[in-house]
Amino acid sequence: AMLLVSRFPDHVIAVCATDALGVFGDGAARVSESVGRGTDLLRLMAWATATVDLRQGPVYARRCLQSLVHGTPVLVPAATRGREHAQLGRCGLWFDGPTEFLRATDALLTPPVSEVLGRQSAGYVAQWCRSSEGFVDDIFSSLRGAVDLF
């Protein structure tokens, strides 16, 4: 957060942590109560210029996909599952190291870039990601195939 605030002092930057939300801008930091409800976090993602998702697991980038549903592009580490979504859908950027992180952030703060990536993000999710029911059907189909092997 401090790296972003010092590099982009003219922008308001919200950083969501496990226990609080910090909003940095105009030379001041305001820290809120914890973001207790998932709907609050979704609302913040929909409002944001981009979602920076640093703690993704190797299997499923849930926060990344939730951001894309709302038309908000993502910025993710290169070695995470979120990169696949950003790259396939052309709806986000990725980085490997602090220098690339700052360059990618600078690009996402440029309105034409964030607008194009944002438009592409919702289309990517609609095209490639199944509904909850479709996902459950896929899991059951996989399990049936595994049971047939035994």
Side-chain angles (χ1 to χ4, degrees):
M2 296 316 294
L3 180 64
L4 289 175
V5 170
S6 62
R7 173 65 179 88
F8 304 103
D10 298 332
H11 293 277
V12 175
I13 297 172
V15 178
C16 187
T18 303
D19 59 347
L21 173 72
V23 178
F24 301 85
D26 299 326
R30 296 179 304 280
V31 178
S32 73
E33 300 278 331
S34 64
V35 178
R37 297 182 312 201
T39 54
D40 293 338
L41 185 56
L42 295 177
R43 213 171 300 126
L44 289 169
M45 282 191 238
W47 165 80
T49 300
T51 297
V52 179
D53 194 357
L54 299 176
R55 297 184 306 152
Q56 299 173 50
V59 177
Y60 184 60
R62 184 181 78 179
R63 296 287 185 225
C64 180
L65 288 174
Q66 288 172 327
S67 179
L68 297 177
V69 165
H70 293 286
T72 303
V74 294
L75 177 58
V76 296
T80 62
R81 176 80 167 132
R83 177 186 177 168
E84 183 177 331
H85 296 300
Q87 195 169 13
L88 284 174
R90 297 183 325 254
C91 50
L93 301 174
W94 53 93
F95 63 92
D96 190 19
T99 302
E100 285 184 17
F101 176 65
L102 290 176
R103 282 190 199 137
T105 302
D106 194 30
L108 278 176
L109 292 175
T110 306
V113 173
S114 63
E115 289 167 7
V116 167
L117 293 175
R119 279 193 303 271
Q120 294 172 163
S121 67
Y124 165 74
V125 172
Q127 181 179 2
W128 293 103
C129 299
R130 302 285 308 258
S131 65
S132 297
E133 295 80 17
F135 178 75
V136 171
D137 290 343
D138 288 347
I139 296 294
F140 281 137
S141 294
S142 297
L143 291 174
R144 273 189 225 103
V147 170
D148 291 341
L149 292 175
F150 295 103

